[in-house]
Amino acid sequence: MFAAERRQLILEMVRANGAVSLRELARVVQTSEVTVRRDVRALEAEGLLDRRHGGAVLPGGFTRESGFPQKSHLATAEKTAIADLAAGLVQEGEAIVVGAGTTTQELARRLARVPGLTVVTNSLLVAQALAHANRVEVVMTGGTLRGSNYALVGSGAEQSLQGLRVSRAFISGAGLTAERGLSTSNMLSASVDRALVEAAAEVVVLADHTKLGTDTMFQTVPTDVITHLVTDEPPLADDRSATELQALADRGVQVTVASLNGVENLQASGGGGGRRRDLSPPLPVPRRHPHPGQPGGGMPGGPLRSAQLSGEASAARIADLAPRRR
C-alpha cells in the first residue's frame, strides 16, 4: 500500500470512529506502528487530525463519541484483558453497579459466573449479558433509551439511583487524564455516570490505553474519587501513556495493568523519584471479605430476577440493595 493510500485509510478510520489507537491503525493498514506514527504526524501537519497518546483523534481538542458499532470493534483484545482482571475484583454475593460501555459489557459476560451477585445497571447490553445467568439478580434503572450506546439516561435513571448504596461501581468513559479524571462527550451519559458513582463505596474505572491522556467535554469522575484503574499495557513507544499512568498512581489511584506476563500494579513514586512496578501473579485475584456492616458485605443469592426502578417503587426497591448491618 502506498503512503497516500495508507493515509487516506487512516483518515477515514479516524473520521468514522472519532479516535483510533496506533495499534489498531497499524493492524488495519498492515504496517508497523512506527510507519503509522509517521503518517499520523503528516496528517496532523495538514490539520486533518490531532495526535493523542498512542493514537489519533478528530481535530479540535475534544474527541467526539463514537457509535456502538464502531467502538465494539476497537481494542477488542485489550478490553477482553481488562474485563478478565476486573471480574476478579468482584466477590460472591456482592452488590455492584455497572455503567454503559463496550468494556463494561465484556465485564458483564464474566460476571455471569459469580453466584449471588446483584448488578444494578443502566445498560441494556450489560443486562442482556447477564439475562440468563444463574443466581444473578439484574436491576435496571428507569430512564430514556439512548440508542447510540443502548443506555438509559435522563432524570428517570438518576432518580431511580437515589438512596442506593453498593460496594463498587464499574464504569468506563471516553477519556481519562490525571488532571481531570474520567470524562465523556455526552452530557446525559455523564450525569447518569455521576449518579452511579455516588452510589458506590469504591469506584473502578475500566479504560484501555487509547483513553489515556484524552479529554472530552463532560467530567464524570474526578481523579480523587477513582479508587482503582484497570487498563491494558500501552505500546512500548508510547511514553506519554506510561507517564499518564504514573501520574494517576501518584494521585492515589491504584493502577492495574494487564500485560502478556501477568498483572502489573503501578505504585506511586517514592521520594527518590522513578517508577516502581511490582509484577503480581496472574489471576485469580484473592477475594477479601469485608467486615460486617461495611459496604460489600454481600447479599443473599437467589434465582435471576430483572427489575426496573421507576416512580415511587424505586425507593423501596433500592433500599433492599443497601447492605444490612448485623
Side-chain angles (χ1 to χ4, degrees):
M1 187 181 295
F2 294 110
E5 294 176 308
R6 276 200 322 270
R7 292 172 186 177
Q8 182 61 34
L9 181 55
I10 289 170
L11 190 58
E12 289 174 359
M13 288 184 64
V14 173
R15 285 173 175 170
N17 298 296
V20 188
S21 70
L22 292 178
R23 184 182 298 171
E24 186 71 12
L25 289 172
R27 184 186 68 80
V28 172
V29 302
Q30 298 182 344
T31 188
S32 68
E33 289 187 27
V34 173
T35 300
V36 167
R37 188 176 289 107
R38 186 162 56 244
D39 290 336
V40 168
R41 286 197 188 103
L43 291 168
E44 183 183 44
E46 297 178 38
L48 299 173
L49 52 74
D50 289 342
R51 282 186 297 159
R52 285 292 183 270
H53 300 187
V57 302
L58 288 173
F62 294 111
T63 60
R64 70 170 176 82
E65 184 180 31
S66 304
F68 175 79
Q70 291 82 20
K71 290 191 289 185
S72 63
H73 295 294
L74 293 176
T76 53
E78 291 86 346
K79 292 172 183 177
T80 297
I82 291 168
D84 285 339
L85 294 184
L89 301 174
V90 180
Q91 303 178 32
E92 182 176 327
E94 195 171 0
I96 63 174
V97 295
V98 179
T102 52
T103 310
T104 52
Q105 181 188 22
E106 286 296 323
L107 170 64
R109 291 178 177 135
R110 287 146 183 82
L111 295 181
R113 300 188 291 267
V114 182
L117 189 65
T118 299
V119 178
V120 181
T121 185
N122 70 318
S123 168
L124 299 186
L125 299 175
V126 168
Q128 183 184 43
L130 294 167
H132 300 289
N134 187 31
R135 297 182 60 199
V136 174
E137 182 178 14
V138 180
V139 181
M140 294 202 67
T141 69
T144 302
L145 178 63
R146 184 166 179 257
S148 61
N149 63 347
Y150 301 94
L152 296 170
V153 297
S155 59
E158 296 170 40
Q159 290 173 8
S160 65
L161 291 164
Q162 292 178 2
L164 178 68
R165 190 62 172 171
V166 297
S167 57
R168 291 183 184 88
F170 292 87
I171 62 170
S172 188
L176 177 64
T177 65
E179 179 181 356
R180 194 159 175 253
L182 190 68
S183 62
T184 187
S185 56
N186 181 267
M187 181 174 62
L188 294 176
S189 295
S191 187
V192 175
D193 282 350
R194 285 193 288 268
L196 291 170
V197 167
E198 284 289 329
E202 296 181 1
V203 178
V204 182
V205 171
L206 312 181
D208 64 75
H209 72 274
T210 64
K211 312 289 180 62
L212 298 174
T214 299
D215 202 2
T216 53
M217 289 186 67
F218 301 99
Q219 183 193 57
T220 54
V221 190
T223 305
D224 57 2
V225 175
I226 301 173
T227 309
H228 197 157
L229 166 65
V230 184
T231 186
D232 65 290
E233 188 173 23
L236 292 177
D238 190 2
D239 293 332
R240 297 176 68 184
S241 290
T243 301
E244 196 73 48
L245 285 178
Q246 186 61 59
L248 286 162
D250 290 343
R251 294 282 294 268
V253 178
Q254 181 182 346
V255 178
T256 303
V257 180
S259 71
L260 296 178
N261 298 318
V263 182
E264 294 188 39
N265 292 313
L266 187 61
Q267 300 181 359
S269 303
R275 284 181 287 179
R276 276 196 301 153
R277 287 177 177 263
D278 296 333
L279 197 62
S280 303
L283 289 176
V285 176
R287 301 175 186 269
R288 292 176 295 177
H289 298 283
H291 296 294
Q294 290 186 341
M299 295 190 60
L304 169 68
R305 286 182 293 156
S306 295
Q308 184 175 21
L309 305 181
S310 60
E312 298 177 357
S314 301
R317 181 65 193 86
I318 288 174
D320 292 339
L321 296 177
R324 297 181 175 85
R325 297 188 178 276
R326 299 179 183 176

